């Protein structure tokens, strides 16, 4: 038998993800190629989040910072949203998805100018290699025409069309309970944002002025159990938000998080917790210190799964810049209008598109930085290698290196 040293290395395998922020190609590392990376999601206890002691708050912030740097995910325990409210919201969401399809189609997302309302099974396709996402959803967004959202009196309403959120007439208490949950999760989000500021050694109030009418919304999800292994509940993606809070309403494990070895780490429901994950806004503002980690939903449990995601983003008119302490030497920081940036991201993520759009999409995926020089130009090229030797191609407002035709790019 030939000594194993003479055996050729097995062909590398990759996880390929169209994450919205560009295509990510990550080698699946096995054996001695494996790098130290997370294998589980850590839990953080928020019971002292409103403590009058600064040290108590800072201790939670430290744990948040460590988890956001390591995996970009954590479980938040003792977040303060009552069990009664969580049970109530679960009940109405289940009842809504059990309605006949034609009833749900009355508020289909295509009837909204902001893509809000009901989205049927297989309508979106985050992973191009699948037949579509095996889930149905009901989504709301920031909409000053919904009085429950208490828009500030001086809010510029011109960017908000009249046909935004749509609400079902059944169950009759659906809207009321969803808005009770909205108020509770928004309150927790504002506290969490302060702890995030603290975790970055910024004043706790640093982000307060960016949240006067935050973009974002609720997305209730129903995943039937998939019958084939080629199906996926939601294809691999990263979120466009400061952060996302997922309430895994049913006890079905299906959420998976991609680690640096290209392995999918399970994030099963832990009773009483919310899953918190870093979104692209926070990754961008921290120059990648906090990672907006790729995740997906695969429901092979044989049971129906329900979840309720909340996306919390800056207010539409806010300018997001690289945060103090997160500047990378020799690299120009970011400066983006939050509303424009999110609109562009949303367009990229919204389901199957025509071939012409597909070609444009391919081009857009090559652009990871929209900053231009004074003449409005930017360059595409080699942006260096990761620790693992995988190179990155992208754009910049100043000239970049040549693309190596034999190098491996992600
Ligand atoms: O249902 C889940 O657990 C996660 C949903 C999700 O990732 C999303 O809606 O962006
Ligand atoms: Fe997500």
């Amino acid at each position: 038998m030939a000594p194993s040293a003479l055996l050729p290395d097995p062909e590398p395998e990759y996880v390929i993800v169209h994450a919205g922020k560009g295509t990510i190609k990550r080698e699946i590392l096995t054996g001695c190629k494996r790098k130290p990376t997370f294998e589980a999601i850590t839990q953080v206890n928020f019971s002292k989040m409103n403590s009058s002691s600064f040290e108590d708050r800072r201790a939670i912030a430290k744990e948040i910072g460590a988890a956001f740097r390591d995996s970009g995910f954590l479980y938040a325990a003792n977040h303060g949203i009552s069990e009664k409210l969580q049970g109530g919201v679960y009940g109405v969401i289940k009842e809504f998805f059990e309605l006949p399809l034609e009833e749900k189609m009355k508020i289909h997302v295509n009837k909204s100018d902001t893509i809000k309302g009901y989205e049927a099974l297989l309508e979106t396709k985050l992973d191009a290699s699948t037949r579509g996402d095996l889930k149905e959803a009901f989504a709301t967004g920031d909409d000053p025409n919904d009085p429950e959202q208490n828009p500030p009196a001086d809010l510029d309403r011109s960017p908000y069309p009249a046909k935004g959120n749509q609400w079902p007439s059944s169950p009759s208490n659906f809207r009321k309970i969803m808005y009770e949950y909205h108020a509770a999760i928004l309150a927790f989000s504002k506290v969490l944002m302060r702890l995030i500021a603290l975790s970055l050694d910024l004043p706790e109030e640093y982000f307060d002025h960016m949240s006067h009418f935050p973009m974002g919304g609720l997305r209730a999800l129903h995943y039937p159990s998939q019958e084939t292994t080629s199906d996926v509940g939601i294809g691999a993606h990263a979120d466009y938000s400061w952060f996302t809070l997922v309430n895994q309403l049913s006890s079905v494990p299906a959420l998976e998080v991609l680690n640096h070895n290209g392995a999918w780490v399970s994030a099963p429901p832990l009773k009483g917790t919310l899953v918190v994950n870093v979104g692209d806004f926070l990754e961008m503002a921290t120059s990648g210190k906090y990672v907006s980690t790729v995740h997906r939903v695969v429901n092979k449990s044989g049971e129906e799964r329900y979840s309720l995601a909340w996306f919390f983003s800056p207010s539409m008119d806010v300018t997001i810049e690289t945060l103090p302490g997160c500047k990378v030497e020799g690299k120009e920081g970011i400066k983006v209008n939050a509303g424009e940036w999110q609109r562009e991201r949303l367009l990229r993520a919204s389901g199957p598109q025509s071939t012409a759009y597909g070609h444009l999409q391919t081009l857009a995926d090559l652009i990871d930085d929209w900053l231009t020089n004074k003449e409005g130009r930017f360059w595409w090229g080699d942006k260096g290698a990761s620790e693992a030797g995988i190179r990155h191609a992208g754009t910049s407002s100043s000239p970049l290196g040549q693309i190596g035709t034999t190098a491996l790019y992600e």
Side-chain angles (χ1 to χ4, degrees), residues 260-320:
H260 300 302
N261 290 325
W264 291 103
V265 172
S266 173
L270 289 191
K271 204 168 161 29
T273 66
L274 293 170
V275 173
V276 181
N277 66 281
V278 173
D280 293 347
F281 275 121
L282 194 51
E283 181 181 81
M284 207 158 54
T286 58
S287 306
K289 217 175 183 179
Y290 289 176
V291 278
S292 171
T293 302
V294 169
H295 53 285
R296 67 178 186 183
V297 175
V298 181
N299 181 14
K300 291 180 285 196
S301 66
E303 288 172 53
E304 310 281 304
R305 177 176 187 264
Y306 297 87
S307 67
L308 179 54
W310 159 253
F311 303 92
F312 183 72
S313 296
S315 305
M316 200 182 268
D317 56 354
V318 159
T319 302
I320 304 294

Side-chain angles (χ1 to χ4, degrees), residues 114 116 139-144 146 149 160 165 179 182 185-186 189 210 213-219 240-244 281 309-316 338-339 342 346:
T114 54
K116 296 295 174 278
T140 66
D142 42 310
D143 185 347
D146 276 3
Q149 293 192 14
Y160 299 92
N165 285 343
Y179 265 121
H182 178 270
I185 200 104
L186 179 60
S189 299
M210 302 187 193
F213 196 60
M215 293 187 292
L218 289 168
R219 188 180 198 209
Y240 41 86
S241 52
W242 277 132
F243 54 75
T244 305
F281 275 121
W310 159 253
F311 303 92
F312 183 72
S313 296
S315 305
M316 200 182 268
Q342 179 146 307
L346 222 136

Side-chain angles (χ1 to χ4, degrees), residues 117-393:
Y118 174 68
E119 202 170 66
L121 284 179
L122 302 173
E123 262 185 29
T124 56
K125 193 197 282 212
L126 291 192
D127 179 343
S129 69
T130 65
R131 64 181 172 131
D133 298 320
L134 195 62
K135 62 101 181 68
E136 53 179 348
F138 168 82
T140 66
D142 42 310
D143 185 347
N145 298 313
D146 276 3
E148 296 92 336
Q149 293 192 14
N150 301 316
D154 61 349
L155 181 75
D156 173 13
R157 287 177 174 236
S158 59
Y160 299 92
K163 279 181 3 191
N165 285 343
Q166 311 182 82
W167 292 93
S169 49
S170 171
S172 57
N173 54 348
F174 184 83
R175 177 171 177 156
K176 180 173 167 284
I177 294 187
M178 286 290 270
Y179 265 121
E180 271 171 41
Y181 187 85
H182 178 270
I185 200 104
L186 179 60
F188 175 63
S189 299
K190 289 188 176 177
V191 175
L192 178 53
M193 209 61 216
R194 285 186 160 211
L195 292 166
I196 290 172
L198 210 49
S199 77
L200 292 161
D201 291 324
L202 297 169
E204 284 171 277
E205 307 76 27
Y206 190 86
F207 297 107
D208 284 6
H209 74 283
M210 302 187 193
S211 306
H212 53 280
F213 196 60
M215 293 187 292
L218 289 168
R219 188 180 198 209
L221 291 144
H222 168 220
Y223 305 88
S225 180
Q226 48 187 82
E227 279 156 26
T228 67
T229 47
S230 57
D231 267 333
V232 69
I234 290 189
H237 66 283
D239 293 344
Y240 41 86
S241 52
W242 277 132
F243 54 75
T244 305
L245 303 175
V246 178
N247 197 325
Q248 304 198 69
L249 299 168
S250 41
S251 55
V252 175
L255 178 60
E256 298 180 344
V257 185
L258 189 64
N259 75 11
H260 300 302
N261 290 325
W264 291 103
V265 172
S266 173
L270 289 191
K271 204 168 161 29
T273 66
L274 293 170
V275 173
V276 181
N277 66 281
V278 173
D280 293 347
F281 275 121
L282 194 51
E283 181 181 81
M284 207 158 54
T286 58
S287 306
K289 217 175 183 179
Y290 289 176
V291 278
S292 171
T293 302
V294 169
H295 53 285
R296 67 178 186 183
V297 175
V298 181
N299 181 14
K300 291 180 285 196
S301 66
E303 288 172 53
E304 310 281 304
R305 177 176 187 264
Y306 297 87
S307 67
L308 179 54
W310 159 253
F311 303 92
F312 183 72
S313 296
S315 305
M316 200 182 268
D317 56 354
V318 159
T319 302
I320 304 294
E321 294 186 70
T322 308
L323 295 167
C326 294
K327 301 236 162 66
V328 176
E329 231 188 82
K331 208 178 162 223
E332 217 173 313
I334 57 130
K335 189 171 184 174
V336 295
N337 172 276
E340 279 169 25
W341 186 88
Q342 179 146 307
R343 242 186 321 280
E344 182 265 329
R345 244 332 130 75
L346 222 136
L347 276 175
R348 286 210 238 162
S350 56
Q353 305 288 346
S354 68
T355 321
Y357 182 94
H359 293 321
L360 279 176
Q361 178 67 68
T362 306
L363 283 175
D365 283 346
L366 299 173
I367 302 170
D368 63 348
D369 187 344
W370 292 86
L371 284 177
T372 60
N373 72 354
K374 283 192 210 80
E375 287 83 46
R377 259 194 90 178
F378 59 62
W379 283 259
W380 184 73
D382 184 294
K383 294 183 89 169
S386 68
E387 269 173 50
I390 297 181
R391 304 200 69 79
H392 177 66

